[in-house]
Amino acid sequence: MPPIITLTTDFGLKDHYVGVLKAVILGILPDAKLIDISHEIPPQDVMAGAWVVRNSASWFPNGTVHLVVVDPGVGTDRKPVALEIDGHYFVGPDNGIFSLIADDRNYKACTLNRKEFWRENLSKTFHGRDIFAPVAAHLANGTVLEELGDPLEELVTYRWAKPIADRDGIQGWIVHIDSYGNLITNIPESMVREVASGRRVKIYIGNTILHEMSSTFADVEEGEPAAYVGSAGMVEVAVNKGNAGELLSVRKGAQISIVLQK
């Protein structure tokens, strides 16, 4: 099996940046299999990048290298890093994105300070090309983590907000809005089962009240909102054949409440 390298960036596809990343990788490792996860991460949105990668990386075989470049601090003193989580390798900036991907799992990390694995003539604004892409290629080609730089004991750490459950129900937050406008929450299916336990609920999101959990967005009429458990195992709110974020005027970070009915 050829070595697999996935790519996730906020570069978009209008410009040359993604193509250059691939050219650098293939110049070092011509037989690499390059898989695009997404290049449409909203610009500088570290949380969105983390959400997309943490919900896709584990589906790849162990040993896959994940190149993740959402890097609003490029050229500053933020560290370039590589790390291993559960048999997968990640390369990118230490700006909180990898702590969100690891999400309390054990990891082994290093600071990328061995310049022999970089490109020469380092740019201040394109570390994806000059540091991260070549390091990803070397890592996929069998270079061990310890050769790439000094050990790093702790990453810059961000935390996902945790939902709150009590006898009245569950309070959570919107942590991601996908390209369909679906509102993805931080409330796991297991919490809904445990707290609601078959009882009737009302769901409050923005100025909208939903009177039940659905099995899918197609359970409601076209243009109507529905709450259901999505493919990531979290409660989501969508509008059947519509954009929930726009139609419900809800943004990332908004509160959602699941209230138990007597």
Side-chain angles (χ1 to χ4, degrees):
M1 176 180 252
I4 298 173
I5 300 175
T6 76
L7 299 94
T8 303
T9 76
D10 59 354
F11 293 169
L13 295 173
K14 179 179 179 180
D15 297 301
H16 61 285
Y17 305 122
V18 173
V20 169
L21 291 187
K22 294 180 178 181
V24 170
I25 291 169
L26 294 173
I28 297 169
L29 188 58
D31 64 339
K33 187 170 186 178
L34 305 181
I35 306 293
D36 298 297
I37 292 178
S38 176
H39 298 294
E40 300 297 335
I41 304 301
Q44 294 90 49
D45 194 334
V46 169
M47 180 180 285
W51 178 266
V52 167
V53 174
R54 76 192 291 264
N55 281 284
S56 54
S58 63
W59 292 93
F60 289 89
N62 278 4
T64 297
V65 176
H66 304 281
L67 176 59
V68 185
V69 188
V70 181
D71 194 13
V74 61
T76 69
D77 61 357
R78 67 94 187 90
K79 295 182 177 68
V81 296
L83 62 157
E84 183 268 329
I85 307 171
D86 295 341
H88 289 251
Y89 295 91
F90 299 81
V91 178
D94 184 25
N95 58 10
I97 194 166
F98 292 124
S99 64
L100 292 170
I101 292 170
D103 195 22
D104 296 326
R105 290 177 290 174
N106 292 328
Y107 63 82
K108 181 170 63 174
C110 71
T111 302
L112 300 176
N113 54 9
R114 305 282 166 76
K115 295 184 179 181
E116 60 266 32
F117 296 104
W118 303 1
R119 287 186 70 253
E120 295 181 0
N121 303 317
L122 179 69
S123 164
K124 280 284 190 179
T125 60
F126 201 178
H127 287 183
R129 177 192 67 191
D130 296 339
I131 298 177
F132 303 133
V135 165
H138 287 296
L139 195 53
N141 199 31
T143 301
V144 298
L145 204 63
E146 291 78 6
E147 292 182 55
L148 298 172
D150 296 332
L152 180 65
E153 295 300 324
E154 187 173 358
L155 298 167
V156 171
T157 301
Y158 292 170
R159 300 288 184 189
W160 296 103
K162 301 294 185 183
I164 300 169
D166 58 27
R167 64 183 182 180
D168 297 318
I170 304 169
Q171 179 178 303
W173 289 269
I174 305 302
V175 296
H176 187 68
I177 301 177
D178 69 15
S179 60
Y180 294 100
N182 299 336
L183 308 173
I184 303 173
T185 80
N186 63 342
I187 302 173
E189 179 182 16
S190 58
M191 180 176 283
V192 176
R193 287 201 308 265
E194 180 180 348
V195 173
S197 188
R199 293 174 60 181
R200 292 177 56 247
V201 300
K202 284 187 178 180
I203 300 102
Y204 295 82
I205 176 71
N207 295 320
T208 301
I209 302 173
L210 306 177
H211 295 276
E212 62 181 353
M213 290 287 296
S214 300
S215 61
T216 180
F217 45 81
D219 286 347
V220 299
E221 296 295 325
E222 185 173 326
E224 292 297 317
Y228 57 94
V229 176
S231 61
M234 301 293 187
V235 173
E236 299 183 13
V237 177
V239 169
N240 186 11
K241 296 186 179 178
N243 185 306
E246 294 177 359
L247 293 175
L248 304 185
S249 298
V250 172
R251 297 183 177 182
K252 188 163 65 176
Q255 182 176 314
I256 180 171
S257 298
I258 300 177
V259 179
L260 301 178
Q261 301 301 289
K262 295 181 180 179

